[in-house]
Structures are given as structure tokens and as C-alpha cells.
Amino acid sequence: LNFLSDPSSVDEARRLVGEVARRAGRLPEKERLSLQALRAQVDGSWVEAFRIRDQVAEDYPLDKEAQFNAGDVRLHRFETASAIPYFQRALQLDPGYGLAVAHLAEAVGHSGKAPEHLAWIREQAAVATGSGQLFHLASALLSAGQEEEAVALFRRLQKAHGGIWPPERYAHYLAFKGRADELEAAIRQTIEAVPEDRLEERQELKKRLSARSAWVSLGQGRFAEWWQFVLSFPVMHKNPVLREE
């Protein structure tokens, strides 16, 4: 749940949680507490959600998912630094817990602490295979200032799992590093690699690259074009707060 969430989807989540809550007495204790945490999340009671997830993590110290969920609720509320220890504990319990690897890499990358965790990032990058792990580890390498290593990992991700170049996280990086022209050239190169007589394929590729192109507009100071892209999302028309002048 974030500022781009469709209000109707939030209402649907609240309805489903309410349905399950009516049968909460039949749930084991850990699942009952988890349900309470979910209810707090859909109601926007984040302090309460943190408290409950912490309680579950403390009551079930050998449960990797309990540790993971306490970190996850913080990560998705941008409390990235405080999420890190929970993901680390989950990985101490299960070093092969791929979801925790990906989430820890994301938390590390977003917290500004990536340089402190560079040895761990490199260790995981050497063995990672899952697309989520590779993506977030590459992003963490960018956050640590290791662009060359990050690009190599993004290329490995592209080769193993497909996708188009440049990946969106690298597009963000180039745009906000003042290299929007370089980003624009990479986008053009990807599009021009498709022969001109395959017009439909080119148009589809342009559509898939539209978000990256929007970062070019933002990086080049063409804010009106960027805002028109933002307003093109259907959710913007369902959430009038986002359309206020």
C-alpha cells in the first residue's frame, strides 16, 4: 500500500481481512497476530503494525518468516535502516532464503548504507540466480558507487531472465546522476535495434520503455512532459488527491 494504490484495492483488502477476522478464533496464535498486523496495515496504523510484527518476531525467534515480516513491514514504509537487522536474522536462520536476500539487498540499497555491506553484496552477487535477487543486488551495487559491477550484474540478469535495456533502476541512476542524455542514447539504441519494417514491434518496445523515457524528460528538466506521463496512469484518475493543482 502506497500513495499510488488504487483506493478501491485498499477497500477490497480491508474487506478480505475483515472476512478472515471473523474466523480468527480458529487460527493458531502466530497467524492470529499476523492477521492483526495485516489489519493495522490496511487501516494505516503503521506503529501498531510494527509493534505486532516485532512481538511475533520476539515470540518466535527461530521462525525465519516472523523475522522477515518484521523487516518487510518496515521496508515498505521506507524505514529501510531499521528493516536490515530483521532480514539479517532471517538469513542467519536460513542462509538460502532467497526472498530475504532480495529484501535485504533492497533495504541496504535504499538506506544509504550499501558501502558498509559491500562485501556481503558481492558475496551474494557471485551466487545469486533469482531475478529479484539479481535486480536488488545490482541496485545495491549502484548505491555503493560500484557502477561497473552493477552494470555487469544487470547484464547477467537480462541474459538469464530477459528484459530490455536499460533496466529501470539503472535508468533512474543515469537520470539523477545528470546523465539523461546518455540514458536517452541507450533507449534509442534499444529501439533502433529493431528493424524499421517491424513497426508494431518498435511501437510495443517504445511503450515498454516509456517509463525510462519519462526519466529522460525529468533529468533534462522537461517537467511538463514528465507530469503528463505520471497523469497517464489510470490510478491517477481514481485518486483525485494526486490530481490537485
Side-chain angles (χ1 to χ4, degrees):
L1 302 176
N2 57 47
F3 76 100
L4 280 177
S5 294
D6 182 341
S8 64
S9 70
V10 179
D11 291 341
E12 175 66 4
R14 187 175 287 114
R15 183 187 69 78
L16 291 170
V17 169
E19 283 187 8
V20 178
R22 288 195 289 272
R23 301 170 177 81
R26 298 164 56 185
L27 292 173
E29 178 68 4
K30 181 165 71 75
E31 284 67 28
R32 185 180 63 78
L33 288 170
S34 294
L35 178 63
Q36 290 178 13
L38 283 173
R39 169 166 271 180
Q41 287 176 237
V42 296
D43 288 341
S45 302
W46 296 102
V47 172
E48 178 67 0
F50 291 174
R51 184 193 67 78
I52 297 170
R53 291 297 188 189
D54 285 355
Q55 180 185 341
V56 176
E58 185 176 341
D59 291 348
Y60 300 89
L62 299 181
D63 188 318
K64 67 179 183 182
E65 290 185 358
Q67 309 308 314
F68 174 86
N69 287 329
D72 187 62
V73 70
R74 285 173 166 80
L75 177 63
H76 295 296
R77 289 304 296 172
F78 311 108
E79 299 284 345
T80 51
S82 63
I84 289 173
Y86 293 100
F87 295 136
Q88 288 175 324
R89 285 200 284 274
L91 285 169
Q92 286 171 355
L93 293 167
D94 179 4
Y97 191 3
L99 197 58
V101 171
H103 279 62
L104 177 54
E106 183 178 359
V108 162
H110 289 177
S111 67
K113 297 179 179 293
E116 301 171 28
H117 297 267
L118 187 54
W120 177 83
I121 297 167
R122 284 171 169 159
E123 176 187 315
Q124 294 299 318
V127 298
T129 56
S131 59
Q133 295 174 49
L134 289 168
F135 177 81
H136 288 299
L137 288 164
S139 300
L141 284 168
L142 283 180
S143 297
Q146 305 300 315
E147 182 180 352
E148 187 175 338
E149 291 179 62
V151 168
L153 201 57
F154 277 130
R155 288 292 190 187
R156 193 170 119 205
L157 170 63
Q158 184 185 32
K159 184 177 180 180
H161 298 279
I164 51 179
W165 192 266
E168 193 153 352
R169 189 61 55 83
Y170 189 43
H172 297 170
Y173 177 85
L174 291 173
F176 286 99
K177 281 287 187 178
R179 295 160 61 186
D181 291 350
E182 186 178 334
L183 171 58
E184 184 174 27
I187 291 171
R188 288 184 183 278
Q189 185 176 15
T190 296
I191 293 171
E192 288 168 4
V194 178
E196 290 185 6
D197 60 349
R198 287 152 59 181
L199 187 58
E200 269 189 44
E201 189 175 337
R202 272 200 172 200
Q203 291 303 320
E204 179 60 28
L205 191 56
K206 284 181 181 179
K207 184 177 178 182
R208 291 177 63 195
L209 285 163
S210 60
R212 280 87 154 170
S213 298
W215 292 114
V216 171
S217 299
L218 189 60
Q220 293 175 340
R222 296 172 6 232
F223 300 116
E225 291 178 36
W226 175 80
W227 187 239
Q228 284 303 310
F229 169 77
V230 174
L231 290 177
S232 69
F233 287 92
V235 68
M236 300 296 289
H237 302 277
K238 297 178 181 179
N239 194 335
V241 173
L242 301 178
R243 295 184 62 84
E244 291 179 357
E245 296 294 337

